[in-house]
Amino acid sequence: IRSYDLKFDLSKSVKLDYSADNRSLIREPDGKIDTDPKKQEVKDEFYKGGTTTDYRQSVKIDWTVPINKIPITDWVTATMGYGGNYNWNRAAFGTDSMGNTLQNSNQRQLNTQFNFVTLYNKVPYFKKVNQKLSNKNKPPVKSNPKDTSKTKKEEENNFEILEYIARTVMMVKNASVSISNNMGTVLP
């Protein structure tokens, strides 16, 4: 078996991956290998790499779409990919009526992820609610005990109701969408 692999980053956002496998047999002449021509035939078969019986190759290219570089869509990340496979199988050595088998396939894929926390933080009120939630673990700031007016408590209650509504709206934190298309052909 001879295997070939190549991984190459064409740019920060484009990645290429290629691999191939070649399976070969070194065929020998019938009978004993005791004469110089038979020995030379085996050597020649060895040096040419044998007779290929199975060959497989695949290529995959991935692109990270720079949609998150645009300020209004910085909460979205997307990757697109294309992959292709090719297989060739030799017919058995003893059969004359059967041919080789060829097979190829390709895959197209789109993966998108949405970070809604980043989107919510674009709205000032939602950002304030999110910061309050992240500061909950910190020790509270001590307030003046003499200031206990009813208007302040009513404002806090109204704020809490709005805060609960905002938290309900912001329940979804992340989402992802994947689309894939696979096609292939076999020729006997």
Side-chain angles (χ1 to χ4, degrees), residues 8-182:
F8 188 68
D9 295 343
L10 300 171
S11 68
K12 286 184 178 180
S13 62
V14 180
K15 311 222 183 294
L16 174 71
D17 187 5
Y18 173 82
S19 65
D21 293 320
N22 187 352
R23 182 175 294 217
S24 301
L25 290 177
I26 296 175
R27 301 185 68 191
E28 300 176 358
D30 293 332
K32 269 184 148 180
I33 303 174
D34 54 358
T35 62
D36 285 339
K38 287 185 176 183
K39 289 179 183 177
Q40 188 60 41
E41 189 176 337
V42 171
K43 284 182 186 176
D44 291 344
E45 184 77 9
F46 176 78
Y47 288 130
K48 77 172 191 174
T51 303
T52 300
T53 59
D54 184 35
Y55 177 77
R56 299 171 188 271
Q57 78 177 16
S58 65
V59 65
K60 177 134 177 73
I61 189 163
D62 289 315
W63 176 43
T64 303
V65 182
I67 194 166
N68 60 342
K69 304 299 182 200
I70 302 168
I72 198 163
T73 59
D74 64 349
W75 55 281
V76 179
T77 57
T79 57
M80 294 176 66
Y82 176 83
N85 295 315
Y86 172 78
N87 297 333
W88 178 85
N89 291 316
R90 186 187 189 288
F93 288 109
T95 60
D96 292 331
S97 62
M98 296 178 66
N100 303 326
T101 303
L102 300 174
Q103 182 177 0
N104 68 353
S105 63
N106 67 42
Q107 307 85 30
R108 291 177 227 156
Q109 190 170 2
L110 171 67
N111 296 322
T112 309
Q113 295 178 336
F114 304 96
N115 182 352
F116 288 112
V117 174
T118 305
L119 177 64
Y120 299 148
N121 284 337
K122 291 183 180 291
V123 178
Y125 180 73
F126 288 163
K127 184 174 184 177
K128 184 178 177 183
V129 171
N130 280 335
Q131 286 175 343
K132 185 176 180 185
L133 287 175
S134 64
N135 290 336
K136 245 184 179 177
N137 295 335
K138 295 180 182 177
V141 177
K142 294 186 179 184
S143 62
N144 187 357
K146 294 178 184 175
D147 187 19
T148 56
S149 64
K150 288 185 180 181
T151 56
K152 188 168 185 175
K153 285 186 180 183
E154 287 175 5
E155 285 178 15
E156 287 179 7
N157 286 340
N158 287 340
F159 180 72
E160 283 185 17
I161 291 170
L162 291 174
E163 188 177 328
Y164 287 125
I165 292 171
R167 286 184 192 170
T168 305
V169 169
M170 296 188 297
M171 282 190 331
V172 177
K173 303 289 184 193
N174 293 304
S176 63
V177 175
S178 294
I179 300 171
S180 181
N181 182 9
N182 299 320

